[in-house]
Amino acid sequence: MQHGKYRFIVGFLVAPLALYAIFVIWPFIQSIYYSFTDWTGLSPDFKMVGFDNYTRLLHDDIFWKSLQHSVIFVVLLPLVTLSLALFFAFMLNVGGRRRKGAAVAGVRGSGFYKIAYFFPQVLSVTIVALLFRFIYNPSGGLLNSALDAIGLGSFQPQWLGDPTWALWAVMAVLVWSTVGFFVVLFSAGMASIPKDFYEAALLDGASRITTFFKITLPLLWDTIQSGWVYMGILALGAEAFSAVNIMTVGPGGPDYSTTVLPLYVYQSAFRDANAAYATTIGVALLIVTLLFAAIVMRLGRRDRLEY
C-alpha cells in the first residue's frame, strides 16, 4: 500500500515539476549562460567572453543608479503601502465608534470605502500610468492646477521632468494603485480574528492603538510578511517597469533619475541590441530579489500564533 501511495503522488508531481523546470528553471539557466557571451539577441552567432559583461556591470554608472532606485522602491514601497493598508483596514473593521449591540465595529460607510480603495485594482497599470501622466502634466495638469487654485502657484515643479521629484512621483502612483488590494487582504484577515479579543481588551481599558499592536498586528503577521514579499517583487518587477516606462520621458527620466533594473534590462536588450549584457543585469536583478525575500523571511520569522 505504501509503495502504491508514493507512486500515486509521484504520478501527480511529474507533470507540474516538468513544466516548472522547462518554463522557469531552464530560462534561468539560459540567462546565466548567455551572460558569459557577446550575444546581440538578433543573431544566432555568439562567442564566450567570460566575465567581461560582469566587469562592465561593475563600472556602469547607469547600472548603479538603477540599482539604487530599485533598492529605494523595494524598501520604501512595501513600507508605505502596507502601513497605509493596515491603517485603513483597521479603521474599516475595528476602528469605529461603539454602536448599539456591537462593541467593536468599523467606521461608518466602511463598505463603500472598501470599494473605493479597491477601485484602482480594476484598472491596469498601463491605464493608471497614462492617467497620472496627464495629472502630472506641468502645463494644465490636474495637480499643478489644484496647487494654483489653493494659492501655491509658485510651487509647481515639472514632476516627471524634474530629477528631484520624478522618482517620488512614480512611487506615489504605485502606492495609490496597490494599497487597495492589501486593504481588502488585511480586512479579510482581520474579519477572521474573534471580536471577543478586542472586546476583552477594550473592557480592560486598552486603547485602539494598543489593540492594534497587541492583537491585530501579531495575529496578522503571516499575512503581512507574505504581502511584504509580494509587494517587494512587484517593486522589482513588472509594476515598477510599466510605470517608469510609460510615465517618464526617455524612458527613465532626466539624467536616468527614474531608471530601475527591469527597465535597464529592457533597454539593453531591445534598444541597444545587447541581449548578453541585458541577461547580466537580469542576473543581478535575480540576486537582489532573492536577497530581499531571504531578508524579509529571516527578519519576519517568529512563533506562529493560533486562535
Side-chain angles (χ1 to χ4, degrees):
M1 292 296 293
Q2 289 290 336
H3 180 70
K5 180 181 73 172
Y6 292 134
R7 187 167 55 185
F8 177 78
I9 294 173
V10 171
F12 269 96
L13 290 178
V14 167
L17 287 178
L19 291 174
Y20 185 80
I22 293 171
F23 294 105
V24 178
I25 302 299
W26 180 242
F28 282 148
I29 296 174
Q30 283 185 309
S31 297
I32 296 173
Y33 172 76
Y34 283 125
S35 70
F36 294 101
T37 70
D38 64 350
W39 185 43
T40 64
L42 303 175
S43 169
D45 301 324
F46 60 86
K47 65 178 181 180
M48 302 297 293
V49 295
F51 289 92
D52 287 358
N53 288 322
Y54 290 94
T55 303
R56 174 184 171 185
L57 192 73
L58 295 176
H59 296 87
D60 187 350
D61 292 338
I62 302 175
F63 165 75
W64 289 109
K65 272 192 175 184
S66 61
L67 176 61
Q68 179 184 359
H69 299 155
S70 290
V71 170
I72 291 173
F73 269 26
V74 82
V75 172
L76 294 184
L77 196 57
L79 178 64
V80 175
T81 302
L82 298 185
S83 298
L84 288 174
L86 278 170
F87 172 74
F88 292 145
F90 183 77
M91 296 302 295
L92 293 178
N93 288 273
V94 295
R97 295 178 179 273
R98 297 188 183 187
R99 301 175 194 169
K100 185 177 180 181
V104 179
V107 297
R108 294 187 181 276
S110 58
F112 168 77
Y113 291 131
K114 287 180 182 178
I115 296 173
Y117 290 141
F118 191 75
F119 176 73
Q121 289 293 310
V122 180
L123 305 175
S124 69
V125 66
T126 303
I127 296 175
V128 171
L130 287 172
L131 175 65
F132 274 89
R133 187 173 178 177
F134 288 109
I135 292 175
Y136 283 133
N137 190 332
S139 302
L142 180 62
L143 183 56
N144 278 355
S145 298
L147 291 173
D148 187 50
I150 60 175
L152 295 176
S154 59
F155 178 73
Q156 293 191 350
Q158 294 291 318
W159 299 114
L160 298 175
D162 188 337
T164 305
W165 291 97
L167 189 69
W168 308 110
V170 174
M171 188 180 297
V173 174
L174 293 175
V175 170
W176 181 85
S177 65
T178 54
V179 70
F181 171 80
F182 292 101
V183 170
V184 175
L185 179 67
F186 294 151
S187 293
M190 290 180 190
S192 66
I193 299 175
K195 300 295 184 184
D196 297 345
F197 291 2
Y198 293 104
E199 293 174 356
L202 292 175
L203 288 175
D204 288 339
S207 65
R208 297 292 184 184
I209 296 177
T210 302
T211 58
F212 174 79
F213 284 103
K214 297 297 185 181
I215 298 176
T216 305
L217 197 59
L219 295 179
L220 277 183
W221 189 253
D222 289 342
T223 305
I224 295 170
Q225 187 182 47
S226 300
W228 197 288
V229 174
Y230 176 70
M231 192 66 219
I233 293 173
L234 288 183
L236 290 171
E239 293 287 326
F241 165 78
S242 300
V244 171
N245 191 44
I246 295 171
M247 293 178 63
T248 59
V249 294
D255 193 27
Y256 301 98
S257 58
T258 60
T259 302
V260 289
L261 286 176
L263 179 62
Y264 196 31
V265 171
Y266 173 82
Q267 291 175 336
S268 297
F270 297 102
R271 184 193 64 186
D272 304 334
N274 194 341
Y277 189 59
T279 58
T280 307
I281 304 169
V283 172
L285 177 59
L286 173 64
I287 293 172
V288 171
T289 305
L290 293 177
L291 283 175
F292 166 76
I295 291 172
V296 171
M297 298 301 291
R298 180 66 183 87
L299 295 179
R301 184 183 301 172
R302 59 186 298 171
D303 294 335
R304 184 181 182 88
L305 298 178
E306 298 184 358
Y307 52 92

